[in-house]
Amino acid sequence: MEVTFVVIDDTESIKDHPLLYTLEDKYENVKFFLKPEDGLGFVSTHLELNMIVLLDIQFSATDKENGHSVLKKISEMSELIPVILWSGINETEETFSDFINNNAFGFISKDATIQESMVTIEKAINFLKTNLDNIIEDWIISKEEDKNKPIYLTSDGNSYSLNDILKEIRLQTEIGKDFSKKLNSLTIDLLLRGKENLNG
């Protein structure tokens, strides 16, 4: 699985951080954004990518966004993007509860060792690999020859191709969530029937 790391941090020198060198060596796709608005723009226009965001908490007073608002906006775009808070400051429990409520995936201190940092990074990668919606996406992507054929009809008469469904899942729209839910239910039902047949 290809993973793109999106680093949103307004400290220019952070590009030389050992963790970023490690990610570039191991995964290659590391995008760096000094302005939170630019990072948000990249995420919103590349929802087809498997992304992990490393997000600083504090930004310059001249920036319109901060760690809280960026996390909230990414969470609203898609629940399938792990956002890891990456900071050198110690936040209060109350402040961190706000991050948790907005679905922060984890926290990495900028003072942490590479080994400590990679534990959280690898958990995020595992989330991308095992999340059911992402498994559905991988299945859709593998159906190259069928991507444009209508396969899903809604109650209001609209039809969707696999490509359409892939976009809806990435954007976490009601159509995307409904398709995922129905496909997951069907899969579980088929597995249970298979188990009954094996036991019979």
Side-chain angles (χ1 to χ4, degrees):
M1 169 187 281
E2 286 191 12
V3 179
T4 298
F5 288 89
V6 179
V7 181
I8 306 176
D9 194 308
D10 64 352
T11 308
E12 180 79 39
S13 61
I14 204 67
K15 290 180 180 179
D16 296 324
H17 195 285
L19 177 59
L20 298 190
Y21 282 129
T22 301
L23 295 178
E24 286 173 345
D25 286 342
K26 194 167 183 178
Y27 302 102
E28 296 182 1
N29 298 323
V30 179
K31 308 292 184 186
F32 191 91
F33 298 94
L34 289 170
K35 291 189 170 294
E37 296 87 354
D38 294 340
L40 279 171
F42 179 86
V43 171
S44 68
T45 55
H46 292 84
L47 289 171
E48 75 282 2
L49 299 177
N50 287 310
M51 284 183 280
I52 294 172
V53 176
L54 290 178
L55 176 64
D56 193 14
I57 293 174
Q58 290 184 332
F59 289 92
S60 166
T62 59
D63 286 311
K64 296 176 184 176
E65 308 286 353
N66 58 37
H68 293 275
S69 62
V70 172
L71 174 62
K72 188 171 187 295
K73 288 181 178 179
I74 292 175
S75 180
E76 288 169 353
M77 286 180 209
S78 176
E79 295 173 2
L80 304 181
I81 303 172
V83 179
I84 299 170
L85 306 175
W86 191 43
S87 178
I89 65 171
N90 291 318
E91 289 285 273
T92 64
E93 285 185 15
E94 183 180 353
T95 303
F96 268 122
S97 70
D98 180 46
F99 283 120
I100 292 166
N101 290 338
N102 281 310
N103 299 319
F105 186 84
F107 176 83
I108 297 175
S109 169
K110 288 180 179 174
D111 296 328
T113 66
I114 296 299
Q115 187 175 7
E116 290 168 338
S117 300
M118 289 306 295
V119 169
T120 304
I121 296 288
E122 285 165 9
K123 283 181 182 176
I125 291 170
N126 192 52
F127 167 82
L128 290 178
K129 287 180 179 177
T130 58
N131 180 280
L132 281 174
D133 284 337
N134 283 317
I135 292 170
I136 291 170
E137 289 177 355
D138 288 342
W139 176 77
I140 290 174
I141 290 168
S142 72
K143 303 296 178 185
E144 192 63 45
E145 68 282 358
D146 298 320
K147 277 188 183 178
N148 293 313
K149 294 178 184 177
I151 56 102
Y152 187 60
L153 186 66
T154 59
S155 57
D156 57 8
N158 291 322
S159 65
Y160 292 81
S161 68
L162 285 176
N163 265 336
D164 296 330
I165 290 296
L166 180 59
K167 182 178 179 182
E168 299 295 325
I169 291 173
R170 281 288 185 188
L171 295 173
Q172 287 290 280
T173 64
E174 288 307 311
I175 294 294
K177 289 178 180 178
D178 187 57
F179 180 85
S180 294
K181 183 178 177 182
K182 287 178 179 176
L183 187 58
N184 290 338
S185 296
L186 176 61
T187 302
I188 291 167
D189 185 50
L190 290 172
L191 286 171
L192 290 175
R193 287 185 191 180
K195 185 176 179 181
E196 287 171 7
N197 290 337
L198 286 173
N199 291 336

